[in-house]
Amino acid sequence: MPIPIGQEYMNAPAALGKIANYQSVEANTTACGAEEITFGKAVYAEDDVSQVMTTGKDFFGVVLARNYVKEITVGDKVGVYVKGDAVPVIRKGTIWVQVDEDVLSNQKAVVNTATGNFLPANTALETKTEVVGTFMSTAMADGLAMLQISLP
């Protein structure tokens, strides 16, 4: 039996790279390649090494955020994985991601290969992949949206 009022039991944090709900989540772990990977970015993986999505690569998943991030005393606190870190990549489930354009709930999602963020499938930009999932919330450009993916 499902929980009738889920927010009374848990409130999923609306933060970049965090799981948006706890229904059937699957993730794989790879190593971070030469370039840093920010939480919530789309990645490709080759030989168990992940890098931010680029043109001509196959979408592997979305990078999960760590619960612990080393304290930064100056500037913005941005979670990243650096070369050699173990990188958890969600392959099935719903995760908070950053969008580069306005998106609507139930709209198909694609990856912007120039940034590693996400776009609606009907975008005019040419730096995009094939459809990778569906947005489960509405968001304005540069905001956070829930993205649902289900990869084999």
Side-chain angles (χ1 to χ4, degrees):
M1 179 173 136
I3 298 172
I5 304 172
Q7 298 303 327
E8 289 184 8
Y9 295 93
M10 66 169 61
N11 187 8
L16 186 59
K18 292 286 189 172
I19 295 173
N21 67 42
Y22 296 94
Q23 299 171 346
S24 188
V25 174
E26 294 179 15
N28 290 34
T29 301
T30 60
C32 181
E35 302 292 324
E36 290 183 345
I37 304 173
T38 306
F39 298 168
K41 292 287 186 181
V43 294
Y44 70 92
E46 292 176 345
D47 196 26
D48 292 329
V49 175
S50 287
Q51 287 290 225
V52 176
M53 195 66 191
T54 60
T55 303
K57 301 295 183 179
D58 292 327
F59 176 69
F60 184 68
V62 181
V63 174
L64 286 169
R66 283 187 202 160
N67 288 327
Y68 168 77
V69 179
K70 292 180 183 175
E71 192 59 43
I72 300 173
T73 56
V74 185
D76 292 334
K77 190 172 187 176
V78 178
V80 296
Y81 293 97
V82 296
K83 184 176 182 175
D85 281 351
V87 179
V89 180
I90 190 169
R91 308 252 314 137
K92 180 180 180 182
T94 306
I95 186 169
W96 290 101
V97 296
Q98 186 170 2
V99 294
D100 290 337
E101 294 180 5
D102 295 352
V103 299
L104 300 172
S105 182
N106 298 317
Q107 196 171 33
K108 298 294 182 196
V110 296
V111 176
N112 182 348
T113 56
T115 64
N117 293 330
F118 295 84
L119 300 163
N122 63 358
T123 183
L125 292 179
E126 293 190 18
T127 56
K128 66 179 182 178
T129 63
E130 296 295 320
V131 171
V132 298
T134 304
F135 292 111
M136 301 309 291
S137 65
T138 299
M140 294 174 57
D142 297 322
L144 297 181
M146 289 189 293
L147 174 70
Q148 185 177 65
I149 59 176
S150 183
L151 299 169

